[in-house]
Structure formats: C-alpha cells, structure tokens
C-alpha cells in the first residue's frame, strides 16, 4: 500500500498541468477601455504566421473606439491556433471588433480580448453599443 501511495504521488507530481484557456466575465465598456490601448472594428487585410504559434494580422479600421483612427491600417500580434490554447484565428476579408494592448512589438491581443465581441457571444452587441456611447461622451 505504501508503495502504491508513493507511486501515485510521484505520478501526480510529475504530471504536467493541462493547458486550457478560459475567459472571465465580459468587461463593461469603461473597464475595457481603461485597460486597453486600442479598441476598434476592422477588416482583416493580411495574416502572417510567425514562429512559435504567433501570427500578425493587419486590419483596416472601419470604426475606432480608442487608440487608433478610422481608416488606419493596424497590425496586431496574437497567439494563433485553437481557442483552448488561447489562440485567435482571424479570416482574411472578415470584420472583427477587438481590444488590444501595447506590447514590446506593437499592438497585441488574445482570445479574451476578442471573443467577447464575436456575434455568437450574447453580450457582443451590447458591448459594442456601450463602446459607441462611451466614445460619444469622450471629448
């Protein structure tokens, strides 16, 4: 019995934690704006893969909420791949709304800063409406 317990303990200590990505609650517009350097809607014009499951996606901004101007071309770095690994996949020609922050290589985003705006997320329309109202209130 003692051997079995030691064996199970060794297996538990040696096992790697499974990686999974989950996002917390959807932030309101004010909180999201406060913690983001850029929030915008844009059309994907280019997607380039980078080493280490990273991609750089270029957007033409169609609606600006914070940090960028409408009509600007903006590149955003992000993990690529399936959402359980916190990756984001942007389709060329599709329109997305996302929040980004400034990193060492420019703007960066991740799954949690993007999924809350996806059409299948019940709060996405409300959040975009809140971002529009917030933009109108700001000087």
């Amino acid at each position: 019995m003692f051997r079995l317990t030691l064996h199970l303990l060794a297996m538990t200590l040696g096992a790697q934690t499974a990686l999974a990505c989950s996002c917390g609650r959807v932030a309101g517009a004010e909180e999201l704006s406060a913690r983001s350097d850029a929030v915008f809607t844009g059309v994907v014009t280019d997607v380039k893969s980078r080493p280490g499951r990273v991609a750089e996606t270029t957007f033409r901004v169609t609606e600006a909420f914070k940090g960028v101007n409408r009509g600007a071309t903006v590149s955003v770095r992000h993990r690529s791949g399936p959402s359980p690994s916190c990756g984001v996949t942007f389709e060329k020609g599709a329109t997305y709304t996302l929040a980004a922050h400034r990193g060492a290589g420019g703007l960066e985003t991740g799954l949690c800063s993007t999924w809350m705006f996806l059409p299948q997320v019940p709060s996405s329309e409300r959040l975009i409406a809140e971002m529009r109202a917030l933009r109108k209130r700001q000087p």
Side-chain angles (χ1 to χ4, degrees):
M1 181 70 169
F2 181 72
R3 258 190 191 166
L4 178 60
T5 303
L6 281 178
H7 181 68
L8 290 173
L9 180 62
M11 284 179 27
T12 303
L13 292 174
Q16 291 187 345
T17 304
L19 294 177
C21 189
S22 66
C23 301
R25 66 178 178 76
V26 174
E30 289 188 26
E31 180 183 346
L32 183 63
S33 184
R35 68 178 193 208
S36 302
D37 293 306
V39 184
F40 63 91
T41 299
V43 177
V44 175
T45 59
D46 192 29
V47 179
K48 293 181 181 167
S49 294
R50 302 288 185 222
R53 296 191 72 173
V54 173
E56 185 171 329
T57 300
T58 304
F59 297 87
R60 182 179 40 79
V61 178
T62 58
E63 186 170 13
F65 300 111
K66 179 182 179 183
V68 296
N69 294 319
R70 186 172 184 254
T73 299
V74 179
S75 291
V76 179
R77 293 177 65 92
H78 54 90
R79 282 188 58 81
S80 62
S83 58
S85 66
C86 299
V88 181
T89 302
F90 295 109
E91 299 287 328
K92 192 171 180 178
T95 300
Y96 298 90
T97 301
L98 61 138
H101 64 277
R102 296 218 182 277
L107 287 177
E108 299 176 354
T109 196
L111 176 66
C112 294
S113 298
T114 304
W115 76 270
M116 68 184 90
F117 291 110
L118 295 176
Q120 64 269 26
V121 176
S123 59
S124 67
E125 288 183 29
R126 176 192 52 81
L127 184 57
I128 291 172
E130 286 179 11
M131 293 302 300
R132 288 177 179 140
L134 182 62
R135 179 182 60 204
K136 287 180 182 177
R137 290 195 314 253
Q138 295 175 343

